[in-house]
Amino acid sequence: MADSVVLDPVDLQLLRLLQNDARITYRDLAAQVGVAPSTCLDRVTRLRRSGVILGHRLRLDPAKIGRGLQALLSVQVRPHRRELVGPFVERVRALPEARTVFHLTGPDDYLVHVAVADMADLQRLVLDEFTARREVARVETRLIFQQWECGPLLPPGNADS
């Protein structure tokens, strides 16, 4: 596991603001934090280089692009061996329907968040891409009715910073 990075209150404020709006200009970001724009740029660059900031992503509304049904697939792989983990995960990550893949402890080995067009598309995905694989012993499907984004991710003990 990577070592944690020491973050001061200015870094934490920058991270909070950037997580809420990654398109904010450095000038506006600096003004809100109370530092010079050049200082702001230097700090954000340092946060990127240290691996704290992993990148910027564009979020899409799945329903507006024809993927209005989302589900969580609990997948059990048998045998659950190291040589199957990598290829299985890479195959799932390559699926256009896959949003996130989690490797878990407990009775299920993976939790896969998917976005599909409709129930028939979900059935096709489960049958053709999961249960058809020899190593997949079981798939349990849970439909997602609604989801909410949570607040910015900050280090423990810094929720009020």
Side-chain angles (χ1 to χ4, degrees):
M1 185 179 274
D3 294 330
S4 62
V5 175
V6 177
L7 303 170
D8 67 19
V10 172
D11 292 330
L12 295 171
Q13 201 171 358
L14 288 168
L15 292 172
R16 177 181 284 115
L17 292 167
L18 285 168
Q19 285 183 81
N20 288 329
D21 180 8
R23 294 180 59 189
I24 188 170
T25 66
Y26 284 112
R27 176 176 286 139
D28 291 342
L29 188 59
Q32 288 188 45
V33 176
V35 298
S38 60
T39 301
C40 181
L41 176 61
D42 289 344
R43 282 178 172 260
V44 172
T45 300
R46 181 181 54 80
L47 290 167
R48 279 194 188 106
R49 285 190 182 136
S50 66
V52 172
I53 296 176
L54 298 175
H56 305 275
R57 293 194 176 148
L58 182 69
R59 290 179 36 231
L60 303 177
D61 181 337
K64 293 197 182 199
I65 61 167
R67 294 186 182 276
L69 181 64
Q70 295 185 66
L72 296 173
L73 307 179
S74 299
V75 182
Q76 207 174 65
V77 173
R78 293 294 175 257
H80 188 190
R81 293 193 318 242
R82 183 172 296 280
E83 63 268 15
L84 293 176
V85 169
F88 178 80
V89 169
E90 289 311 308
R91 174 66 190 125
V92 172
R93 289 183 69 210
L95 295 171
E97 300 88 353
R99 306 305 313 130
T100 311
V101 182
F102 299 94
H103 191 193
L104 309 171
T105 63
D108 297 315
D109 301 311
Y110 299 94
L111 184 64
V112 183
H113 176 196
V114 299
V116 295
D118 53 28
M119 205 54 110
D121 196 25
L122 179 60
Q123 181 181 23
R124 176 207 51 80
L125 179 70
V126 169
L127 294 176
D128 295 348
E129 300 295 343
F130 287 91
T131 61
R133 297 185 62 86
R134 288 189 0 227
E135 71 271 22
V136 173
R138 182 179 66 79
V139 175
E140 191 173 300
T141 305
R142 290 177 178 85
L143 298 180
I144 298 173
F145 292 139
Q146 197 169 359
Q147 79 183 67
W148 295 266
E149 292 290 323
C150 297
L153 180 64
L154 296 173
N158 291 291
D160 297 326
S161 295

